[in-house]
Amino acid sequence: MTHPPQRVRVTRTRTGDSRPRRPSLHEEIGQQSPLGAAYLDSLVRAQLRLALTVVASLALVLGLLPALFALVPAVRGAQVAGLPLPWLVLGLLVYPAAVLSARQYTRAAERIEAQFADVVADR
């Protein structure tokens, strides 16, 4: 006597997903794929552009001061409270300006990196 075939309930096919899983952007960057390299290149370009902007602005300001002192002898020879004006300008304006520029650069660089991290996390 033959037994009828046993019933089997199919809940899932054994084949893989019909479309392959797209790697996350974090994985793309880690694997150094062309897409990950493009994202990293954009981050590096943004940071380089920021650094060159800060360096150029400081170089412009610091380059104009000697020109001012050379072209206007009255400024070079002026004194304030018994101290030469060029020394006061260098001591009271240039160094604080450099510190403030460095502080702004750091904040802007961190903002760029945070935006990059948000893009990587979102995708």
Side-chain angles (χ1 to χ4, degrees):
M1 181 163 167
T2 61
H3 292 88
Q6 191 176 19
R7 293 182 66 167
V8 176
R9 183 175 185 174
V10 177
T11 58
R12 193 181 125 185
T13 61
R14 290 187 180 194
T15 60
D17 205 8
S18 61
R19 54 189 170 124
R21 183 183 73 82
R22 195 170 93 186
S24 69
L25 187 55
H26 189 271
E27 291 170 342
E28 294 272 359
I29 292 170
Q31 296 169 357
Q32 296 180 351
S33 71
L35 179 62
Y39 273 95
L40 280 178
D41 286 345
S42 70
L43 173 65
V44 170
R45 276 194 312 272
Q47 289 179 336
L48 178 63
R49 187 173 36 254
L50 174 63
L52 291 177
T53 301
V54 170
V55 168
S57 61
L58 277 176
L60 180 68
V61 170
L62 291 178
L64 289 177
L65 283 176
L68 173 70
F69 297 143
L71 295 175
V72 184
V75 174
R76 184 179 41 210
Q79 290 194 1
V80 176
L83 295 172
L85 183 62
W87 284 66
L88 287 174
V89 169
L90 289 175
L92 297 178
L93 295 178
V94 171
Y95 292 114
V99 169
L100 288 175
S101 295
R103 189 178 199 188
Q104 293 293 7
Y105 170 78
T106 302
R107 287 182 178 173
E110 288 173 349
R111 186 172 44 250
I112 289 170
E113 290 175 4
Q115 290 170 349
F116 179 78
D118 289 343
V119 167
V120 171
D122 288 345
R123 177 145 182 260

